[in-house]
Amino acid sequence: MKKVTLCLIASIFLSVLSCSDDDSSPDLINVESDASEEVSLDPVDVSENISINGSTKIAGNPPAPNGAIAFSMPTSTQSGFQNNGFDISFDAPASYAGAYIQLKGENGDTAPEYFDVPYGPGKSLKRSKKNKLFKASEKVNENDITINVDFNENVTAGTFCYIICIYDGQGNISDPVEVCVEVEAWGGNPNLVGTWQLEKFAYDGQFELPGEEECDDSTIFCNDQTELLIENAYCDKLTSLPLTFNADGTFEYIENGKYTNYDYDASIEACQPIFEPEKEDQYISRGKWAYDEEENKLTLVEFEFVEIYEGNTYEDSDPNGYLLFNGDAQITASSLIITETYEEAGFSETFEAYFRK
């Protein structure tokens, strides 16, 4: 299968989960591979129904390579998602100027055109900071290239491949690399269907429970120019997060939280910490989920969200979706543990979350 990351909290806790009477694997429904994902897609049809930001579609085959510039892909297979697409990611040399991409079928047929994708900033989706649980890392390395490939609604579950070469400004073109994409069917594991309640989560082992407060201090200057340190000036906590998987491949989670902030004007006037009343916030995410039964991977693609904060409601949607989570899933009859590790240019972050039915 095809942006939150987890470090498993403790082997003892996992042992407790696995030994619970109601968590035994015989209670789970056996999951078979989805045959629709194995269907070979016509590269001509797929090529007509994808878009790559900033690219130009050119009839014919890409220019012949001379091998004078080199690169490598981290994988020869990857996942894509309906109405969302997939990312092509690789490390590029400093002379990188762009890439040529041509689609190919499993029988060797290629599309009658290719995409010229000159180097430029990739698509960047602004995410809400109030989405505390599922949040993508912002770590970026200038040599890491990501090409966003978007599907429209005509790309169905199935398999196709693409051939990619990179080029520099002097006309050098790398040898081609072939990667095959499995477009996942939505849904796929009946054991996930239902509502799960968040028990705990962690980033790089920094373990949090719903209801636990996180706070930051702040330093201000009073009206008399006296410096004042305000401890716990900003505090927030996630109070609950039900995550619902539906049999039709849709999901919804509702992140409920509370927060307190200090009152700046009152504090500088009194030259002592004055706090506003505690307030509530909410983040509602809706989208589609897919489960890779071969690798036990879960993917969440968000297509719309609603945020309620400071008494205001903000909502937005994206027809191409946003890859919210793509990681491992351990499922028992009553527990779900999801884990994802993000690694790039020496940076690594691990996210994990524990849910109960």
Side-chain angles (χ1 to χ4, degrees), residues 9-67:
I9 291 175
S11 59
I12 295 177
F13 180 67
L14 291 178
S15 298
V16 170
L17 288 178
S18 62
C19 294
S20 299
D21 292 339
D22 60 349
D23 290 347
S24 56
S25 57
D27 294 332
L28 299 179
I29 300 170
N30 186 43
V31 181
E32 301 292 337
S33 298
D34 192 321
S36 67
E37 297 171 350
E38 307 304 322
V39 173
S40 180
L41 299 178
D42 186 337
V44 177
D45 291 340
V46 178
S47 187
E48 290 176 350
N49 290 287
I50 68 172
S51 61
I52 303 175
N53 187 40
S55 71
T56 301
K57 188 184 288 189
I58 302 173
N61 294 317
N66 61 11

Side-chain angles (χ1 to χ4, degrees), residues 59-74:
N61 294 317
N66 61 11
I69 181 175
F71 84 115
S72 62
M73 295 290 292

Side-chain angles (χ1 to χ4, degrees), residues 13 21 77 82 119 129 138 209 250 255-256 268 281 353:
F13 180 67
D21 292 339
T77 60
Q82 298 174 74
Y119 179 56
K129 294 182 179 179
E138 296 180 354
L209 297 171
T250 60
E255 184 176 308
N256 298 300
I268 63 172
D281 58 40

Side-chain angles (χ1 to χ4, degrees), residues 307-357:
E307 181 182 346
I308 302 172
Y309 184 69
E310 292 284 1
N312 298 312
T313 299
Y314 175 68
E315 50 189 310
D316 200 5
S317 62
D318 184 344
N320 292 122
Y322 172 77
L323 187 59
L324 201 65
F325 176 83
N326 183 39
D328 297 330
Q330 299 181 43
I331 309 167
T332 71
S334 63
S335 70
L336 168 64
I337 304 173
I338 59 175
T339 308
E340 185 182 27
T341 298
Y342 175 87
E343 295 179 337
E344 186 175 19
F347 171 82
S348 177
E349 184 181 53
T350 301
F351 164 82
E352 54 191 340
Y354 298 78
F355 294 84
R356 281 278 184 175
K357 268 190 176 177

